[in-house]
Amino acid sequence: MPLPVVTASELVSRPPPAREWAIDRLVPAGTVTLLVGDGGAGKTTLALQLAAAVSAGGQVLGRRASPGGAIVFTAEDDRAELHRRVAAVAKAASLRPEQLSRLKIVMGAELDDPALA
């Protein structure tokens, strides 16, 4: 399969498409978003809050979330800890269980080798 190549002149010869947002002006739609930081900084909680807002089509951090599906991959927390965290996020945002039906959580800690995922 040949490499997809485009010349810069092809790109600038027409206006670029509008960017679509999962979280308005914060998280682009249709892309992978990676949260990086020190342990205990709140990355998992923030990821769950962002993903829950997308699943519910609500707001987070004062920004509108476009309704859709979301996947959170976590390699550290066990099922019980994720249960506590998701319950806390849902309670804080007043979300009902059905509003979180499009949020999927991949529990990498339950894999033999989460690095392979």
Side-chain angles (χ1 to χ4, degrees), residues 22-23 50-60 63-69 95 99-100 102:
I23 307 291
L50 295 169
V54 169
S55 179
Q59 285 203 346
V60 62
R63 297 173 187 259
R64 183 186 57 78
S66 296
L95 297 175
Q99 291 177 285
L100 297 175
R102 294 185 287 186

Side-chain angles (χ1 to χ4, degrees), residues 13-110:
S13 67
R14 60 187 185 282
R19 178 167 283 127
E20 295 182 32
W21 298 99
I23 307 291
D24 190 37
R25 296 171 292 128
L26 184 65
V27 178
T31 64
V32 173
T33 300
L34 179 67
L35 297 176
V36 180
D38 293 334
K43 299 178 300 291
T44 300
T45 300
L46 178 59
L48 291 170
Q49 290 170 328
L50 295 169
V54 169
S55 179
Q59 285 203 346
V60 62
L61 304 174
R63 297 173 187 259
R64 183 186 57 78
S66 296
I71 298 172
V72 172
F73 178 93
T74 178
E76 298 174 358
D77 297 325
D78 63 18
R79 188 177 296 254
E81 181 59 25
L82 285 169
H83 190 165
R84 288 186 287 271
R85 289 179 186 228
V86 171
V89 166
K91 181 177 181 182
S94 301
L95 297 175
R96 298 179 313 279
E98 62 271 14
Q99 291 177 285
L100 297 175
S101 64
R102 294 185 287 186
L103 168 53
K104 309 299 182 196
I105 302 168
V106 179
M107 296 180 291
E110 293 187 3

